[in-house]
Amino acid sequence: MINVNLNEIQEYIKNQLSEKRYYHSKCVMERSKELAIKFGADVEIAEKIGIAHDVAKEMTEEEKLKYVEENNIKIDDTEKENTGLLHAKIGKDISIKEFGFSESMGKAIENHTTGNKDMDIYSKILFIADRTSKDRNFEDLEYLNQLVDKGIDEAVLYILDKKIKLQIEKRASIHINGIIARNNLLEEMK
């Protein structure tokens, strides 16, 4: 199995992304590390998924559709309609093939946009890190960081709620994985 170190992954990502997107990825890597320490997860794994999460973000729509077809990645109607979501599944595939990521690490990357049922600690860390990294300037960032202090699930649930509300306000389709993730998390938190 391939085992690419963090510096090699960073170099690969730097060559794939614009300076702005690479900076975001570095910020997510740093935030993932902080969260891994806070929640007792493996720091190296968290850093690797943080830096790699947007590896496919800047592919064109045509490149994304070609990639999923050539690599037999199943996509649903919502992903066909909103190809921006595809970067998560493609990112998982690239990270497993190029960096030797485990299935769990790949799933964290796949889950970082919509969430999913059965999110493990790394999926939750990346989901939160992508929304709370230092390059983000959302007006609710302070509140969200307070939720993180209360617990990882509270923060994930809040982000899922915000994403769903945003899609409703935009009158856009909502990916079913986000709804399933939310319902599953509510059940777990009972």
Side-chain angles (χ1 to χ4, degrees):
M1 170 159 230
I2 319 164
N3 190 9
V4 180
N5 72 42
L6 183 59
N7 289 336
E8 292 170 312
I9 297 169
Q10 283 183 273
E11 213 36 56
Y12 183 98
I13 300 300
K14 190 175 188 177
N15 292 324
Q16 297 299 312
L17 301 177
S18 65
E19 196 174 313
K20 182 180 180 185
R21 180 63 52 187
Y22 178 65
Y23 176 70
H24 166 69
S25 295
K26 280 185 13 182
C27 291
V28 172
M29 175 184 73
E30 291 165 10
R31 183 65 173 140
S32 294
K33 178 181 179 178
E34 293 168 8
L35 293 169
I37 292 167
K38 180 175 187 60
F39 294 109
D42 185 297
V43 170
E44 184 182 1
I45 290 173
E47 287 179 311
K48 285 181 173 181
I49 60 176
I51 194 68
H53 81 286
D54 271 351
V55 65
K57 181 77 172 182
E58 294 180 335
M59 289 175 131
T60 65
E61 181 174 347
E62 294 77 27
E63 289 170 331
K64 288 175 188 165
L65 291 169
K66 183 178 178 189
Y67 188 97
V68 295
E69 185 179 326
E70 289 177 352
N71 291 276
N72 298 314
I73 297 172
K74 288 184 173 39
I75 63 172
D76 58 35
D77 291 338
T78 306
E79 292 162 332
K80 285 177 191 164
E81 177 188 319
N82 182 358
T83 57
L85 293 173
L86 293 177
H87 82 277
K89 283 186 174 179
I90 295 169
K92 172 190 177 183
D93 192 69
I94 291 170
S95 295
I96 289 172
K97 290 175 179 172
E98 296 293 326
F99 311 138
F101 281 16
S102 68
E103 183 64 23
S104 169
M105 292 167 76
K107 284 299 267 183
I109 291 173
E110 181 179 5
N111 293 337
H112 88 269
T113 54
T114 61
N116 207 336
K117 66 180 174 86
D118 305 327
M119 290 171 71
D120 68 8
I121 188 72
Y122 299 105
S123 286
K124 291 175 182 180
I125 284 171
L126 183 57
F127 196 71
I128 294 168
D130 192 32
R131 180 70 163 57
T132 62
S133 59
K134 72 180 179 187
D135 62 310
R136 299 294 200 184
N137 59 359
F138 297 112
E139 57 188 48
D140 62 349
L141 204 52
E142 190 178 325
Y143 175 73
L144 182 50
N145 284 320
Q146 290 170 359
L147 280 180
V148 170
D149 289 338
K150 289 183 181 176
I152 197 164
D153 290 341
E154 287 290 340
V156 171
L157 182 62
Y158 178 80
I159 295 168
L160 285 166
D161 285 349
K162 289 291 278 194
K163 286 177 177 261
I164 291 168
K165 282 181 197 169
L166 180 64
Q167 291 303 99
I168 290 169
E169 287 167 9
K170 293 188 326 191
R171 293 187 61 99
S173 57
I174 300 168
H175 198 282
I176 192 70
N177 288 354
I179 295 167
I180 292 169
R182 182 179 186 276
N183 291 347
N184 195 60
L185 199 52
L186 283 171
E187 191 61 35
E188 285 178 13
M189 291 169 71
K190 282 184 182 176

